[in-house]
Amino acid sequence: MFIRPYLTEAEVVLHLFAPDRRNTMMRSSILSRNRSYIGLLVANTILGSAMPMMIILGGLAGLMLAPSTALATLPASLSTLAGLFAAAPFSLLMGRLGRKAGFFAGGACATAGALMGVWALLTGSFVLLCLAHLALGAALACYQFFRFAAAETVSAAWQPVAISLILTSGLIAAFVGPQVFIWAKDALAPVPLAGAYAALAGLSVIGLLPLLLIRLPKPPQTAPQTLKDRLTSLSVLKHRPVRLAVGLGAVSQGIMVFMMVPTPLAMIGCGFSEAVAGDVIRWHVVAMFAPSFFTGFLIKRFGAERIAFTGITLLIVASLVAMSGLTAGHFYGSLVVLGVGWNFGFIGATALLAQAVSEQDKAAVQGANETAIALVSTLCAFAAGALVAGVGWAALAGVSAVLLALAFVVFYRETREVQR
């Protein structure tokens, strides 16, 4: 008998969500998990389209309403800061009331923020615009928990694949968001950009609809945690496997932001047009999310640690490519490798964290993880602009390479200690 040495794509998906179909009850459970995962994927794709729209709107609307050009980027910066303070509360809310309640709260923040953005443009209020982006940034912090929710809908063996595939929605969002902005920006003419904020509110509501059709695992019914209980849960961060996962995720995200944010400024300073700089960023975003179609399967095959360390290695390569020249090819090559390195490092770290944390400690530890990532990202975003303006792109890339090399050594030693 001839046995095929491979599975078709359809069989892989079935195996992901239905590894055992021995009886009717189990088939019902399989269908429920399958529907839940698909619902999360659709919701994350729609809601995630807000991110590229926010990047575009933050700068343009800020430039329109800011009392001085020095404050034009303040709304976008506040969005990043909001994630720093919102991640832990959202995680605790989900630990108490469930993922669905948390995502609805995040969608409500996004809708309110988008409507405040409309009103800010209609009234010319820069303060209201800053408040709008605080709410929108908090919503984006909430959406980061979709990858953890996806892992909870499948068996432990398939969690890396579930996490990886949920991030493929970012690839779609990277194209959908800017297109929605183009279609809607003049919808409330003569006030420019107000229509884009209104469309953002609409996306936030539509993105919640798939969540109404699914069931997600409920959090364990336990007594409300006291401050002492939460501190006990956070003590898990001292464990090497958890510490390693948090560190890998924070470094992957931080270095990606450190090099991505100043890229357009560096390219324009080198004489490239805004169109070329925008194209480099577009392919960087594609490289960030496109590997998600197979990263999870690589983790199943080689392990989360190896893939995460491969990601750190690729980030070092991206830094070295950036140091080696200032041609368009160097910028394209560096940012594409940077995107793939982030994908491997970030997904690998997320899979490690999902494996290392118990159910009772999950809410506190995941919140701390997202807060750490937001903190490192915020520091890197502000530092990158100062460095590229002060010492240049090549020097910034050199700093990235040194930091990554040090991180690699530290994380490798942590891994060796875990294995003993």
Side-chain angles (χ1 to χ4, degrees), residues 276-335:
V276 175
D279 195 51
V280 167
I281 295 298
R282 179 176 68 177
W283 284 107
H284 165 68
V285 173
V286 171
M288 285 176 63
F289 295 108
S292 298
F293 287 104
F294 55 81
T295 305
F297 294 99
L298 291 176
I299 290 174
K300 273 185 64 66
R301 175 66 178 84
F302 299 105
E305 285 183 2
R306 288 186 180 181
I307 297 303
F309 275 97
T310 300
I312 299 296
T313 303
L314 288 172
L315 293 175
I316 294 174
V317 172
S319 301
L320 296 177
V321 172
M323 289 174 59
S324 64
L326 297 174
T327 67
H330 285 93
F331 279 107
Y332 273 106
S334 174
L335 269 291

Side-chain angles (χ1 to χ4, degrees), residues 77 79-88 141 246 249-251 253-255 257-258 367-383:
S77 300
S79 295
T80 305
L81 286 173
L84 177 61
F85 296 105
V246 173
V251 168
Q253 179 75 10
I255 292 298
V257 170
F258 190 62
N369 177 69
E370 296 306 301
T371 301
I373 289 173
L375 174 61
V376 172
S377 298
T378 301
L379 294 175
C380 287
F382 282 102

Side-chain angles (χ1 to χ4, degrees), residues 11-27:
E11 289 170 333
V12 168
V13 174
L14 283 174
H15 187 58
L16 170 59
F17 301 112
D20 190 358
R21 298 183 295 276
R22 288 174 292 183
N23 54 56
T24 303
M25 184 179 297
M26 194 162 291
R27 282 197 295 269

